[in-house]
Amino acid sequence: TLTLKMGACGGDLARQTGEFSSLEAWLAFMQDYFDRPGGFAFETSLHGIRMLYDFKGAPTVLGDVSSTDPHLHKRMAEWCAIAQRLAEGPPVITIVLPSEYVLFRTIDGDVVSQADQDWWTEQIVREKQLTRADVSVACQRIEERTFLAIVELQTLREANDFASSHGFWVSRFIGRPARKMQATEKLPGDPFVFRNPSPLVLQVQE
């Protein structure tokens, strides 16, 4: 029998919902993690992974695992088996990137053309000794301001390889600034979406 835990657990739920004006606002925020009804997401941090499932519109925790857990691969196999039962096939997931892995920048002005966006990106990533060809960029425009989110392609490829090696298909990646940064920098609340730069090929470990 498969038992699902509704929402985040215990103190995590109190901690996360405390940052929002209401439970409904928190649920709407979390719903952006899923690219389809009944979808899955890996919410990743510098310390581990949380697997989430869209159970009839409610974000549902399937499990948490530390990146240093000696049984990490076993836990991933268990998650994949559960997800396959729920999805009735290979599970498709969104990977939520740690905010520390994403550069968020605000540009005063409407950056409309791809050439302008590439120029701004090139200037921004120079500080990391990268080039435009090394990164993936997501863009949002609000009134007369442009918001860029930039992540290294190598980060996306490594995350995709990890997920696919455990039987998951990665449909997309999303990046969000930390809630405190979002408020102080007046960044958009909607997630920045990055496409998967790698082919959707499963590489299941035996």
Side-chain angles (χ1 to χ4, degrees):
T1 303
L2 179 62
T3 302
L4 300 179
K5 298 179 286 182
M6 297 297 295
C9 353
D12 285 337
L13 178 59
R15 175 176 56 80
Q16 293 184 28
T17 57
E19 299 176 354
F20 296 86
S21 59
S22 65
L23 177 61
E24 289 74 18
W26 176 79
L27 288 171
F29 175 89
M30 294 295 292
Q31 198 60 43
D32 286 336
Y33 282 14
F34 308 108
D35 67 344
R36 68 198 68 200
F40 301 91
F42 283 165
E43 183 181 39
T44 63
S45 72
L46 300 180
H47 308 292
I49 305 170
R50 164 167 288 180
M51 186 172 180
L52 296 156
Y53 170 57
D54 175 31
F55 181 59
K56 299 180 179 179
T60 302
V61 177
L62 295 183
D64 294 274
V65 65
S66 168
S67 56
T68 59
D69 190 327
H71 304 294
L72 173 63
H73 295 297
K74 180 181 178 182
R75 294 293 303 278
M76 295 297 296
E78 292 170 351
W79 288 359
C80 186
I82 292 171
Q84 286 175 340
R85 288 167 57 190
L86 293 170
E88 299 181 351
V92 179
I93 64 166
T94 293
I95 293 183
V96 184
L97 300 166
S99 59
E100 294 88 347
Y101 286 11
V102 185
L103 282 173
F104 298 99
R105 293 292 185 269
T106 302
I107 301 168
D108 290 325
D110 193 2
V111 180
V112 178
S113 72
Q114 186 63 50
D116 286 346
Q117 180 178 307
D118 289 344
W119 184 88
W120 276 106
T121 301
E122 190 76 41
Q123 309 313 304
I124 293 167
V125 299
R126 278 182 180 175
E127 66 189 69
K128 301 293 182 180
Q129 297 183 330
L130 298 170
T131 69
R132 175 63 183 88
D134 297 322
V135 299
S136 179
V137 183
C139 178
Q140 294 185 36
R141 300 176 183 87
I142 299 178
E143 296 178 350
E144 294 184 358
R145 303 180 83 195
T146 300
F147 303 91
L148 298 181
I150 304 168
V151 63
E152 288 188 52
L153 286 171
Q154 185 63 25
T155 297
L156 303 185
R157 293 189 182 107
E158 289 176 357
N160 177 77
D161 290 347
F162 174 82
S164 64
S165 72
H166 292 286
F168 293 92
W169 298 73
V170 181
S171 63
R172 62 178 188 156
F173 301 86
I174 63 174
R176 278 189 137 129
R179 292 285 295 173
K180 186 177 293 186
M181 179 182 180
Q182 182 180 322
T184 57
E185 300 294 332
K186 298 182 180 179
L187 296 170
D190 293 336
F192 292 85
V193 179
F194 305 94
R195 68 179 184 84
N196 189 345
S198 303
L200 290 176
V201 177
L202 291 181
Q203 303 169 357
V204 181
Q205 291 182 340
E206 297 182 356

